[in-house]
Structures are given as C-alpha cells and as structure tokens.
Amino acid sequence: MSETRSLLLTSAERLLDRHADTGTAEQFATAVAESGLYLTLTPEASGGMGAALSDAAALARLWGARAAPLPIVELLLAGAYAPPDEDLQSLAGGLAGLSPGPVDAAGWPGATRILLLRGGASPAAALFPAEGVEPWEDLPGMSRLRLAEEAADSADWMPLENATLPPDIAAPLLCAAAMTGVMEHIVEITLDYAQIRKQFGRTLSKFQAVQSLLSLAAGELAVTRAALDMALAKADAGRARAMDAAAVKAQAGRAAEVIAANAHQIFGAIGFSQEHELHRYTKRLWQWRELCGAQQEMEALIGHQAGAAGVEGLWNLIVD
Amino acid sequence: MADLDSLRVEVRAFVAREADAGRIRIGEQTWTTWDREFSIRCAAEGYVAMTWPKEYGGHGRSAQERYVVCEELLAAGAPLGAHWIADRQSGPQIMQHGTEALKKAVLPRIAAGECTFCIGMSEPDSGSDLSSIRASAEKVEGGWRLSGRKVWTTNAHKSEYMIALCRTAPKTEDRYAGMSQVVLDLSAEGVDIRPITNIAGVDEFNEVVFDEVFVPDAHVLGEVGQGWKLVTGELAFERSGPDRILSSFGLLRLLAEAVDTEADRHAAVELGRLVGRLSTIRALSMELTRDLEAGRPATAKATLMKDLGTTLEQEIPNVASALYGRAPRMDGTSYERALAVALLNAPSYSLRGGTREILHGIIAREMGLR
C-alpha cells in the first residue's frame, strides 16, 4: 500500500470510528471538512492531495463498508474537477449523460451550487445554482439533488482540459469502489449470521442450499474486486478507457443484485425490518447501481463498442 | 508489459496463418478438438510447455506469458485437444511428482506436441464422489497390475497416456487413504478403449477398461497412497485457466457481428452485458494466475472463477438465441453452426472438472462453513 493511501485510510478510519453512527449529517460533515479527506483528488496546485484514483477508490470502499453518511463519491468528484477558486464545501457534484431521467447530484449539506460533469470525447464541467432544485432522500443523511433532464443540454459547459482522468472513468470507478465496500460488509455479516442462526437443530451454514447462496455472493464479490483493481491500475497508469470503467460499474451492479438478494434471503424477516442494519447497505446498492453510470447505460456503452468491433475486433476490444 | 504485448502480436500472426489455411473455424472447434498436426505446429512456435524448464523441452517462460498464449489460442477458437490436457495438468503433475526416468521419457514429447494425455478420474459408479473409485492396482515384481474401468475419458482413443487414479490399498475408514496416481501407457497389453458418442454427435468420450495392465514402479506419481492429495492438486490446474471462460467465445464474436447495436438498444445492452462480464471474469482469472505464480493460496479463487466462467459460457448461447432468432443448424451458416456447437456442448461446462454443486461445496468449505 502506498504511503498516501495508508495515511488516507488511517485518517478516514479514525473519523468513521468517532462519528459515523452518531450526530446529524451536518455534524458529520463538519468532521469531514476538518479532516480534509474531500481534497483527496484535488490537484496539489489547488491545495489538494493530488492522490491517485486508486487511493481515492480505497477511501470510497472504506466509506461504503461503513455505510457512512455523506456522498463520498460526489464529494471526491467535486473536489477533483471544480475550478481552482471554487469553495469546495458549498458544492454538490454529479455525472451527466450516463443515467437516463433527471440529472442526479449530491454533496455537502446545504450546498449552494452543483457541479455537473460529463465525459466522452470532450470532457467538461458546468455549474448550476442549487436554489430551488428538488431534493430527495431515501437514505438517512444522504440527501440528493435532482435537476431537470434538459438542464445539462442548455448548460454553459467549461472544457476540462487539464484533467488527468475524464469524469466518465473516475465517477463509475469510484462508485463501484463504494459499492464494493458495501458488498464486503454485507457478505461479512451474512456469513456471520449463517454460522450463528440455528434452524432444524443446525446452523444455516450447514444447509447446501444456503451454502450455494453464499458461494454465489462470494463469487460476485471476487469478480468485482479483481475487475476494480485491474481498472484502477489502468486508470493510475493513464491507460483506462470509458469501457473499462463501464465494465466494472456494470459488474458491481450485477453483483449488487445477487448479493443484496441472497443476503436478504439468508437474514429472513429480521433483515426486512427497519431496525436491522442490512437495509442501510442494500438500499445503497440499489441506489448506486443506477447512479454515476446507470447499469443499463454501462452495458449499452460496452455493447455499442462490441457491435462496432464485430467478429474480428471483439477480442482486442476486451484485451486492449 | 511490452514483452507480453509483442508475444500477443506474435500469437495472432500464427493464428491468422492457421485461419487463412482453413484450419481454425470460429465457434466450431473447441479446446478438446483433437488435431495433432495443429499441436505440433503450436509446439514448433514454442506455445506448448511454455513454463517448463528447457531440460524437459520447455521454454522457461512466465505463467503470465503462458496465459497470454492460451487466451489468444482459445479466443481464436483453435483446436487444442491434442496437447491441452497434457500441457495444462498432466505435464505439470509429472514435473512435480514424477520420477526422473518418467520425466525424461514423457515431458519432451508433450513439449513437442506429439503426446496426448487423458484424465483417468471418473468411473461408472464414481462421478462427483471421486473417493469411491474401484479401479485398483496390485503390487507385483517391478510394478503394479491395474484392473478396473474409467469412463467419460475425453480423447482416450487418441491419447498416448492416461494419469489414472486407483486404489493401491483396500478402502478403510479414511476414505481418502490408500489411493495412488499412475501414468498408464495406453498401448500396453490389457487396455481396451471403447468410444462413447456425446450429444453433439462427437466421439470424444470413451470408456477405458484395464485388465491386469502392468504399470512399472517408475510410473507411479509421488508416494504410493498419496493419490488423493495429488489428484486435488491436479484439479487446481484444471480449474484455474482461461479455458473456463472462453468456450463459447466464438459464438459471442459472431453474435457481435450479427446484431445491429446502433439500431437495436436491447441488443446493445445484452451484448454489452456479456462482453462486460467476460472482461471482468478475465480480470479475476489473471489475478489468479499471478497468485498461483507467487505461490499464494488459490483454491477458493480458482473454484469461484470456474463457476462464474462456465455459467457465462452457458449463458452466451441462450442470449444469442434470444437476440438473433436463428435455429441451431449443423449444416447452416457459420453463425448457425457455432450456435449449434455452443448449445450442444454447454451442458458439459458445469460438469467437467467438478460440477457446479461440488464447486459450491468447496467454496463453502473455503469460507469456513463446513
């Protein structure tokens, strides 16, 4: 592990241990603001850490594993792509163009401006005032903002010429990393529960049908981790394509489906109750699957390239 | 990295020459398709026994280099059956556990592409429950006399040798004790090989009967009685490679050509789902190759990888059918033939090398559940 990453993770762990389960989103936000973690991807010239994407992804993964409040992915994105003189702590961030329907963003509580990002051939950013923008919240402490679908069309886009990594690579990978953390936690608590809960005189873990559910969950998690690590290594080396990020995000979405379903199946009724922690994790998966690159958009993106590659080009498209 | 890239370019040039000569037909051959001449040409290029030491005919290359060659040959749909099993598992097994005489006699021939191996595990009454095998060998002067039968033995009728798992001591309370692995010369007296036609109409399967076949002491692998440990190790070679991801890849290539992803959103999404999935499982498979090379424990990952890879291999012909409504026809277009081959072979993917249910049991054990 790099020195940057281990410092980052130590600092994040300390913060999460102290604050994650207590206090309001605002109190938690104050702690995050003091920690400076949101500056992970901000260029050094703008007072940030200028860390590698894989370092930021490690942070997002840890955040996901604790189901911590505040949308870490969007905070990191806003920090990465905001114009140099921008007040980062008044920003929300979001990715345009890779999810159908209203444009979604999230950020600091009480954010006054929204930084929308887009990838493709000409990566760009656009700023919107947040007043009057419709908020929505179906996870405690996870308020999100919704802009009309047309907002992005009429925006005043500023080209992101100096960005080392386009947003349509960074955003899906960071989101997939956060989802990976969530799934790691779900698999861990589900394995524990299956080894404690007894029915018919033996633990659930002794039933073959339950073992299959857990095997499938472990398999999806292993693929997601391996693909995420490979894509992050490519991104750090400046070789990642939008397709690589799409494949990882789509895999995280597929894994989310299997892991959430199988965990709920094993936990039974207690996992369906508001008092149990499971829903705080599975809800994040169901939401994030469609954000920062919706599942279907990611698959369509790969499919278009695969179709264009055809019989002779398909293998190289996968290997490149 | 640059070395791996140039190796890839080199293999693609070889594959292109073979395809131009009509010896590779996309989606119509598999890695069990037996073609000795093809294997000999592969060996001449240095694509067999890549990681073995030079003294045994190998090329002293890295596991990652071998991975590149293997996946390029598989993605092209090359017929690899004449050397695949020997290169993947029998050779490495002999390298690790064989006597020096056996290594000298057999390994250079495998490396030259001139020697096919088959797998002697399953028996008529022993499928997933391998510890219940009945083939047994009795000690005689200078060796053993083997009797019994093996079944579902791919390419036995084209093979020079089989690595056979047999009992060398009667069964006791410890069901895993008293077994050994021997390298059996299939031309020996007392070996009878009968073909079994599979549902694709192909005669690759066989039943192999041994009637007091003499096996010299030098052909016993490892310690007598340690067969269970050995066979478990052999299965790790069998489960970890790109051949568990790419069996239906030829059909996927033809599907990418057949559907119009610009006009048909549903086709783009479905094709993208399969291609994305393949690339992510490949990432796991490559991680596994690095783990194995570094000597890190890999049983859990190899088992997961095979389960996920073979499930994808089975999904491809079904998605193809749903997207591009053509009936499977062995005498049809290139796509229709590939669809037929993929559909007819798919049931075997989650059986050979350990059934899905057995794999789930192994994964559960690795997770500490049993």
Side-chain angles (χ1 to χ4, degrees):
Chain A
M1 199 186 294
S2 71
E3 201 181 334
T4 313
R5 191 176 310 178
S6 90
L7 279 172
L8 204 57
L9 293 181
T10 311
S11 152
E13 261 173 46
R14 203 177 301 136
L15 186 147
L16 292 168
D17 286 343
R18 206 178 306 151
H19 297 286
D21 297 326
T22 57
T24 62
E26 282 73 16
Q27 286 168 324
F28 187 72
T30 307
V32 172
E34 282 166 6
S35 74
L37 287 172
Y38 64 101
L39 295 166
T40 302
L41 285 175
T42 308
E44 281 176 295
S46 309
M49 264 180 256
L53 188 70
S54 61
D55 293 328
L59 175 63
R61 191 161 157 180
L62 176 65
W63 217 259
R66 303 290 198 91
L70 291 200
I72 188 70
V73 170
E74 286 81 0
L75 295 190
L76 289 168
L77 288 172
Y81 297 107
D85 48 351
E86 204 57 43
D87 172 16
L88 293 179
Q89 289 178 38
S90 67
L91 274 186
L95 186 69
L98 287 178
S99 302
V103 182
D104 178 274
W108 296 90
T112 55
R113 260 146 355 129
I114 299 170
L115 181 75
L116 277 195
L117 302 161
R118 93 176 171 206
S122 46
L127 276 166
F128 292 82
E131 293 106 58
V133 173
E134 194 185 348
W136 61 290
E137 178 170 332
D138 64 9
L139 292 169
M142 298 286 275
S143 177
R144 305 195 70 91
L145 300 165
R146 205 159 21 182
L147 282 163
E149 205 169 345
E150 306 75 50
D153 302 335
S154 55
D156 185 13
W157 289 99
M158 309 167 277
L160 288 168
E161 275 155 3
N162 299 323
T164 47
L165 211 57
D168 55 346
I169 292 176
L173 287 178
L174 287 174
C175 189
M179 292 173 77
T180 302
V182 169
M183 294 190 283
E184 283 168 336
H185 183 79
I186 295 178
V187 169
E188 189 185 321
I189 61 172
T190 310
L191 272 173
D192 286 348
Y193 184 72
Q195 288 171 284
I196 293 165
R197 170 79 172 169
K198 278 189 180 171
Q199 291 290 279
F200 303 102
R202 47 188 177 148
T203 61
L204 300 186
S205 63
K206 299 296 173 198
F207 292 88
Q208 275 192 339
V210 174
Q211 290 174 0
S212 266
L213 292 176
L214 288 166
S215 299
L216 293 169
E220 293 299 334
L221 182 56
V223 180
T224 310
R225 277 175 177 158
L228 176 66
D229 287 347
M230 186 165 151
L232 287 170
K234 278 176 95 170
D236 286 356
R239 291 191 300 111
R241 306 162 296 172
M243 189 193 123
D244 297 315
V248 172
K249 183 64 172 47
Q251 167 54 34
R254 181 164 177 160
E257 181 183 326
V258 173
I259 289 172
N262 292 8
H264 273 292
Q265 190 65 23
I266 288 170
F267 271 102
I270 187 72
F272 192 59
S273 72
Q274 188 79 241
E275 69 174 90
H276 194 272
E277 66 169 317
L278 181 60
H279 75 102
R280 293 200 291 125
Y281 290 86
T282 52
K283 279 178 186 165
R284 278 173 165 75
L285 293 181
W286 295 323
Q287 186 185 75
W288 292 349
R289 183 170 57 178
E290 309 309 334
L291 299 179
C292 290
Q295 180 79 12
Q296 214 193 71
E297 293 296 322
M298 299 286 90
E299 289 165 350
L301 186 153
I302 302 166
H304 285 307
Q305 298 198 15
V311 64
E312 293 306 329
L314 185 64
W315 177 242
N316 199 48
L317 181 73
I318 291 167
V319 166
D320 207 11
Chain B
M1 199 59 218
D3 288 350
L4 291 181
D5 289 343
S6 62
L7 178 60
R8 208 178 275 288
V9 170
E10 192 192 290
V11 184
R12 285 184 189 178
F14 168 71
V15 162
R17 289 197 299 276
E18 292 292 321
D20 287 345
R23 295 188 288 245
I24 295 179
R25 297 183 307 281
I26 301 171
E28 293 177 58
Q29 296 147 310
T30 70
W31 50 261
T32 57
T33 304
W34 193 90
D35 181 342
R36 173 64 53 84
E37 295 306 315
F38 183 86
S39 290
I40 289 173
R41 287 192 299 276
C42 262
E45 298 289 330
Y47 300 156
V48 181
M50 285 185 71
T51 60
W52 305 359
K54 293 204 163 100
E55 58 178 310
Y56 299 113
H59 303 278
R61 305 191 76 158
S62 71
Q64 291 192 56
E65 288 175 308
R66 176 173 181 270
Y67 190 92
V68 165
V69 169
C70 287
E71 70 170 2
E72 286 295 330
L73 292 171
L74 290 162
L80 302 168
H83 72 271
W84 194 251
I85 287 168
D87 180 68
R88 178 183 72 186
Q89 65 193 81
S90 319
Q93 192 75 347
I94 290 167
M95 186 76 72
Q96 222 170 328
H97 305 289
T99 59
E100 196 52 39
L102 184 65
K103 283 155 93 167
K104 288 227 167 73
V106 173
L107 296 179
R109 289 180 60 206
I110 296 176
E114 292 166 356
C115 184
T116 305
F117 266 71
C118 57
I119 303 170
M121 296 187 195
S122 294
E123 295 185 4
D125 293 324
S126 303
S128 289
D129 181 10
L130 202 52
S131 70
S132 70
I133 55 153
R134 289 201 216 139
S136 64
E138 198 183 322
K139 189 73 190 96
V140 294
E141 176 73 35
W144 298 77
R145 286 220 178 268
L146 177 65
S147 293
R149 61 180 61 194
K150 294 287 172 185
V151 78
W152 319 128
T153 316
T154 299
N155 287 332
H157 61 314
K158 308 268 196 185
S159 296
E160 278 71 23
Y161 294 97
M162 167 195 282
I163 294 185
L165 181 70
C166 60
R167 292 220 145 267
T168 42
K171 206 170 173 180
T172 58
E173 271 189 17
D174 180 359
R175 57 212 283 247
Y176 303 114
M179 285 184 269
S180 302
Q181 275 198 323
V182 300
V183 175
L184 188 71
D185 179 349
L186 292 172
S187 65
E189 201 176 325
V191 177
D192 186 23
I193 301 174
R194 302 163 190 166
I196 302 171
T197 307
N198 71 20
I199 65 167
V202 174
D203 289 334
E204 280 179 1
F205 267 168
N206 296 275
E207 180 180 33
V208 185
V209 181
F210 323 118
D211 182 14
E212 303 208 335
V213 181
F214 179 72
V215 181
D217 281 326
H219 281 214
V220 176
L221 295 179
E223 302 277 312
V224 171
Q226 293 294 305
W228 186 256
K229 207 174 123 192
L230 262 62
V231 84
T232 312
E234 187 184 338
L235 283 165
F237 294 125
E238 190 172 342
R239 287 175 183 151
S240 56
D243 42 351
R244 302 306 182 179
I245 310 174
L246 292 167
S247 299
S248 306
F249 186 64
L251 177 63
L252 189 62
R253 288 172 63 192
L254 293 164
L255 181 68
E257 188 73 27
V259 296
D260 182 353
T261 51
E262 287 309 311
D264 182 347
R265 161 112 183 150
H266 177 63
V269 170
E270 286 292 286
L271 181 65
R273 185 166 66 78
L274 295 177
V275 172
R277 182 73 164 173
L278 196 147
S279 74
T280 55
I281 299 177
R282 175 175 175 265
L284 181 63
S285 167
M286 290 170 76
E287 186 180 283
L288 182 60
T289 303
R290 291 192 295 271
D291 285 353
L292 286 167
E293 193 165 32
R296 288 190 286 268
T299 306
K301 223 177 266 178
T303 315
L304 290 169
M305 205 285 289
K306 179 180 184 278
D307 185 31
L308 293 156
T310 54
T311 302
L312 175 66
E313 290 177 339
Q314 291 175 332
E315 197 180 0
I316 288 171
N318 291 326
V319 174
S321 288
L323 286 186
Y324 190 63
R326 300 288 187 282
R329 288 189 183 91
M330 286 303 234
D331 61 349
T333 63
S334 163
Y335 172 87
E336 290 163 348
R337 293 197 301 273
L339 177 63
V341 169
L343 281 168
L344 293 172
N345 283 287
S348 73
Y349 300 158
S350 54
L351 301 174
R352 61 185 184 188
T355 66
R356 176 167 298 132
E357 291 66 31
I358 289 292
L359 300 182
H360 285 182
I362 295 170
I363 297 162
R365 196 177 59 225
E366 291 292 317
M367 291 193 291
L369 299 180
R370 44 189 290 249

